[in-house]
Amino acid sequence: MYQEGYNKLFKGLIVVLIDIRLNNFNICPDILGYIIIVSALGILENQHSAYGKAKSFAIALIFFSIPDIYQANNILDGIGVSNYNILFMIISTIAGIMELVLIYYISEGIINIAKDRGLNELAEKADERWEGILVIEAIILISTPFYLNINIDIFAIYLLGIGIIAFIMHILFISLTKDIGKVLG
């Protein structure tokens, strides 16, 4: 029963991670991923209360992800600062913080269930993955406002580097949810 929840969680997190755009439309929108995550956490919340807390944030992220379906332009395209870009930056920052809390509660559930079952290595692995995501996402969230004052070319190179590291950290966390479904499900 719980393995189905972990499989859905894995799939939902993958959908959120993937960002494929066609003519400014996200053809794999985050909103679908968050709906799958809410469904998964609905199954898993009976296994640990942390999943119920995570579910609340996933529901909120459904609404915060709506602006991501269509973006008129990229904030790093050199067009300049506009009200749309600033509003999108604020919404993205709030959504980023909420996603971080979502990942925290998912990690907390995994860690506590693993410890209860005597799977200390698994709990430690989940904690390390959470801490890695926390550090990299904190760096991204803290640096985002500086976009307005930094040379766009330098900031784009910085974002590419930090983005690659963040992508790897998220892949490691997502793969953990797949593995945990086999053990804790």
Side-chain angles (χ1 to χ4, degrees):
M1 176 175 154
Y2 292 126
Q3 187 167 0
E4 177 190 354
Y6 286 108
N7 286 337
K8 282 185 174 184
L9 183 61
F10 172 79
K11 291 173 187 172
L13 289 169
I14 288 288
V15 171
V16 170
L17 183 66
I18 296 171
D19 192 16
I20 302 171
R21 296 202 175 270
L22 185 62
N23 292 329
N24 299 324
F25 283 97
N26 190 344
I27 60 173
C28 188
D30 291 354
I31 193 169
L32 295 177
Y34 289 121
I35 290 169
I36 296 168
I37 291 169
V38 168
S39 172
L41 293 171
I43 295 169
L44 297 173
E45 68 185 334
N46 294 326
Q47 192 177 31
H48 196 278
S49 62
Y51 294 134
K53 294 174 185 175
K55 183 180 168 186
S56 301
F57 284 92
I59 290 169
L61 281 163
I62 289 171
F63 297 102
F64 273 93
S65 65
I66 291 171
D68 187 55
I69 294 172
Y70 177 81
Q71 288 181 8
N73 56 34
N74 189 322
I75 61 171
L76 294 178
D77 66 2
I79 291 175
V81 178
S82 70
N83 288 337
Y84 174 80
N85 286 344
I86 292 171
L87 177 62
F88 186 76
M89 191 183 306
I90 291 168
I91 290 170
S92 295
T93 300
I94 292 169
I97 292 168
M98 292 178 73
E99 185 176 332
L100 206 50
V101 175
L102 170 72
I103 292 171
Y104 166 75
Y105 282 124
I106 292 170
S107 299
E108 181 183 322
I110 292 169
I111 291 165
N112 288 327
I113 293 167
K115 283 181 180 177
D116 289 346
R117 295 188 183 181
L119 304 168
N120 293 328
E121 283 184 34
L122 186 59
E124 192 173 307
K125 188 176 185 181
D127 192 43
E128 288 171 0
R129 303 265 171 99
W130 153 246
E131 288 173 355
I133 288 176
L134 175 63
V135 168
I136 201 71
E137 292 296 328
I139 291 169
I140 291 170
L141 287 170
I142 290 168
S143 64
T144 300
F146 294 105
Y147 147 70
L148 300 172
N149 298 318
I150 294 178
N151 178 298
I152 195 76
D153 296 328
I154 293 171
F155 194 68
I157 292 168
Y158 164 78
L159 276 183
L160 178 65
I162 203 93
I164 290 170
I165 294 168
F167 182 78
I168 292 168
M169 293 305 300
H170 281 274
I171 289 292
L172 289 172
F173 181 77
I174 291 169
S175 68
L176 180 69
T177 64
K178 183 71 168 176
D179 296 340
I180 284 175
K182 296 172 188 169
V183 177
L184 302 181

